[in-house]
């Protein structure tokens, strides 16, 4: 795409049922779906097989209509249509950045909005999904943190973000082809790095990720799913046991004094306590390494001494250090470290034997980069308000 290609902002109006009234099959665990089928009269003996069939229709084929489920009897289809819905969040706007990054503003029950970002790369594509509307934590460099939490997302709203992105990318398999036959997947990786602290919404995140990993549906390997936490220590062992995905941690500082101000949850679980939980994670989850996220803030956490302290602290933990140049937002109290500073920091970490890539900001022109995910919601809201005002409404 050319550097000055226009940013598109489409208004998409696909009417979709919001998840109140009939039960939404999206987001149910297999066990819950089985119970729901039995409740509407499916014989217990058949229930497991029916779950398999419905599961494949919804998560492998992307079916949205019970009428499509041709290997189920007409009676069952009619009954399902009476009692259930297949409901996804509604995509309100889609913006496409100069660099191909797509940002979706999706509306969930109650009229709340969350943001979902798709980042295409040459050999893969990553979807950054949200777990909460806003965040209860108040990391001082994060824009999402300035938005008070409205609510936790449900499993349907979390897995629904993946499904609406697949809709937009046209990535449901064609009849007769398996997912593997279709070539490299456009949406091949998931990162829980959007709005919210995933470990403060543990059960919903777990259920949604188990659906995303299920081999009969979306079928993403647990190694292609990365959950990022600010350091909710008591839930880290549970993440290993009950989800088993890759873990990223918002580390960002090498002393408790600095981390207390950047990531205030550090006052509850400090660096030493966090590192202890992280040391146990790779073995417990059978994943190779942990990603340490480290935002580069000019004059705050970016000295050579910080870099050296960092490698000392994480000694013995299989790790990759992801350096994130600070993404600015209106009124932010920090500045991004210079390119030279980031390079010097990265070299020290690299020379100590750790991979230390610098995360390239993506989608900055549409405010889709890490930590910017509040403002566009507000801007979009404002502009819609302005439009209404202009129209004399
Ligand atoms: N709440 C979770 C996940 C969402 S934040 C967490 O904190 O880990 C995803 C990543 O973006 C985190 O590492 C976060 O610290 C980082 N981030 C937040 N604001 C940022 C900003 N303004 N610039 C760069 N990275 C930011
Ligand atoms: Fe919440 Fe993560 Fe932002 Fe901290 S960095 S305020 S935990 S979203």
């Amino acid at each position: 795409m050319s550097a000055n290609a226009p940013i598109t902002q489409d208004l998409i109006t696909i009417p979709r049922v919001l998840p109140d009234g009939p039960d939404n099959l999206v987001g149910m665990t297999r066990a819950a779906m089985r119970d729901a089928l039995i409740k509407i009269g499916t014989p217990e003996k058949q229930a497991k097989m029916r779950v398999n069939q419905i599961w494949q229709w919804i998560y492998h084929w992307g079916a949205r209509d019970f009428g499509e489920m041709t290997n189920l009897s007409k009676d069952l289809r009619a009954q399902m249509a009476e009692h259930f819905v297949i409901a996804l969040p509604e995509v309100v706007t889609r913006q496409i950045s100069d660099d191909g990054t797509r940002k979706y503003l999706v509306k969930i029950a109650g009229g709340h909005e969350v943001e979902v970002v798709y980042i295409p790369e040459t050999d893969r594509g990553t979807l950054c999904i949200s777990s909460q509307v806003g965040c209860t934590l108040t990391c001082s460099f994060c824009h999402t943190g300035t938005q008070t939490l409205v609510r936790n997302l449900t499993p349907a709203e979390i897995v629904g973000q993946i499904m609406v992105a697949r809709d937009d990318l046209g990535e449901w398999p064609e009849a007769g082809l398996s997912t593997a036959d279709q070539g490299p997947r456009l949406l091949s990786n998931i990162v829980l790095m959007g709005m919210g602290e995933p470990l403060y919404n543990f059960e919903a995140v777990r259920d949604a990720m188990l659906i995303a990993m299920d081999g009969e549906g979306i079928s993403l390997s647990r190694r292609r799913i990365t959950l990022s936490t600010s350091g909710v220590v008591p839930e880290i062992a549970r993440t290993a046991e009950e989800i088993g995905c890759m873990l990223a941690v918002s580390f960002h500082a090498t002393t408790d004094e600095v981390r207390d101000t950047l990531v205030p949850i550090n006052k509850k679980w400090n660096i030493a306590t966090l590192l202890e939980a992280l040391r146990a994670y790779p073995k417990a989850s059978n994943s190779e390494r942990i990603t340490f996220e480290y935002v580069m803030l000019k004059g705050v956490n970016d000295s050579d001494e910080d870099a050296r302290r960092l490698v000392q602290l994480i000694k013995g933990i299989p790790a990759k250090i992801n350096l994130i140049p600070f993404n600015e937002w209106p009124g932010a109290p920090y500045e991004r470290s210079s390119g030279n500073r980031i390079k010097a920091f990265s070299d020290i970490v690299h020379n100590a034997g750790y991979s230390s890539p610098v995360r390239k900001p993506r989608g900055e022109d549409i405010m889709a980069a890490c930590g910017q995910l509040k403002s566009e919601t507000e801007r979009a809201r404002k502009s819609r308000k302005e439009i209404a005002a202009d129209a004399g409404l």
Side-chain angles (χ1 to χ4, degrees):
M1 214 177 281
S2 87
N4 48 13
I7 299 165
T8 64
Q9 173 150 0
D10 301 340
L11 273 175
I12 303 172
T13 47
I14 308 165
R16 289 207 172 111
V17 193
L18 289 172
D20 45 4
D23 286 342
N24 189 4
L25 292 182
V26 177
M28 278 187 192
T29 60
R30 279 176 178 267
M33 200 185 281
R34 183 174 176 275
D35 292 347
L37 286 174
I38 292 171
K39 218 164 105 192
I40 64 160
T42 303
E44 281 198 27
K45 271 194 188 154
Q46 288 180 16
K48 195 173 167 207
M49 187 173 83
R50 299 286 168 250
V51 169
N52 274 339
Q53 290 169 314
I54 297 164
W55 195 274
Q56 284 187 2
W57 280 114
I58 298 177
Y59 296 115
H60 178 76
W61 299 111
R64 298 297 149 74
D65 186 334
F66 298 111
E68 286 175 61
M69 305 185 178
T70 45
N71 56 355
L72 302 178
S73 73
K74 270 204 174 133
D75 280 356
L76 179 57
R77 281 186 262 161
Q79 253 180 326
M80 287 172 59
E82 200 181 311
H83 293 97
F84 304 134
V85 288
I86 300 172
L88 300 183
E90 180 189 343
V91 178
V92 182
T93 61
R94 180 192 66 179
Q95 290 172 278
I96 305 182
S97 154
D98 287 351
D99 68 13
T101 300
R102 292 177 180 219
K103 185 165 80 170
Y104 309 96
L105 184 64
V106 304
K107 197 191 265 175
I108 56 172
H112 305 301
E113 288 163 346
V114 289
E115 286 166 323
V116 187
V117 180
Y118 172 71
I119 306 144
E121 282 165 274
T122 38
D123 54 346
R124 62 189 193 158
T126 301
L127 191 71
C128 178
I129 62 176
S130 295
S131 55
Q132 300 181 308
V133 179
C135 188
T136 49
L137 301 171
T138 51
C139 303
S140 52
F141 54 90
C142 173
H143 207 199
T144 308
T146 66
Q147 179 181 356
T148 43
L149 172 70
V150 182
R151 73 167 168 84
N152 277 336
L153 300 194
T154 63
E157 290 160 349
I158 299 171
V159 76
Q161 295 171 54
I162 304 172
M163 296 167 77
V164 293
R166 291 195 88 188
D167 282 354
D168 187 48
L169 297 168
E171 206 187 19
W172 297 103
E174 280 170 40
L177 292 180
S178 75
T179 311
D181 292 334
Q182 305 228 116
R185 290 173 72 148
L186 294 173
L187 199 172
S188 60
N189 293 63
I190 302 284
V191 292
L192 278 147
M193 294 185 186
M195 293 162 75
E197 168 48 59
L199 296 189
Y200 273 161
N201 186 15
F202 186 86
E203 280 86 7
V205 166
R206 175 199 58 204
D207 290 353
M209 291 307 104
L210 292 181
I211 292 171
M213 290 184 230
D214 191 300
E216 296 202 51
I218 299 169
S219 199
L220 287 167
S221 138
R222 63 188 186 82
R223 288 172 196 277
R224 291 182 172 271
I225 297 179
T226 304
L227 183 153
S228 174
T229 180
S230 57
V232 184
V233 166
E235 305 290 357
I236 289 179
R238 243 182 122 193
T239 306
E241 281 156 32
E242 297 179 34
I243 310 178
C245 59
M246 306 298 285
L247 187 70
V249 63
S250 292
F251 208 64
H252 305 321
T254 59
T255 63
D256 281 324
E257 197 190 347
V258 176
R259 198 163 189 271
D260 279 353
T261 62
L262 297 182
V263 189
I265 202 176
N266 195 66
K267 292 183 199 150
K268 205 162 182 183
W269 296 292
N270 66 12
I271 291 180
T273 316
L274 175 60
L275 286 170
E276 203 179 310
L278 296 177
R279 262 176 226 288
Y281 191 88
K283 194 157 171 256
S285 64
N286 192 24
S287 53
E288 295 112 49
R289 58 185 180 177
I290 289 183
T291 300
F292 283 75
E293 294 163 286
Y294 198 96
V295 64
M296 298 299 291
L297 304 171
K298 189 183 240 164
V300 176
N301 63 355
D302 62 350
S303 68
D304 286 355
E305 204 189 341
D306 279 306
R308 286 192 285 266
R309 223 173 2 234
L310 177 63
V311 295
Q312 280 305 318
L313 283 170
I314 64 173
K315 218 176 205 157
I317 304 178
K320 161 178 150 187
I321 290 74
N322 211 328
L323 300 175
I324 316 175
F326 173 61
N327 291 312
E328 294 188 9
W329 39 271
Y334 301 106
E335 279 175 67
R336 180 183 290 185
S337 310
S338 70
N340 284 343
R341 185 85 299 272
I342 297 176
K343 168 95 178 54
F345 193 106
S346 166
D347 285 348
I348 293 173
V349 177
H350 188 255
N351 291 338
Y354 295 97
S355 153
S356 55
V358 178
R359 193 183 289 173
K360 193 168 161 272
R362 296 288 302 262
E364 276 184 302
D365 54 346
I366 55 169
M367 288 290 280
C370 299
Q372 293 184 317
L373 290 187
K374 172 197 178 189
S375 45
E376 185 56 35
T377 311
E378 295 200 332
R379 265 203 272 159
R381 238 184 237 135
K382 193 164 155 238
S383 66
R384 280 202 296 280
K385 247 193 235 156
E386 282 166 2
I387 292 165
D390 287 349
L393 300 171

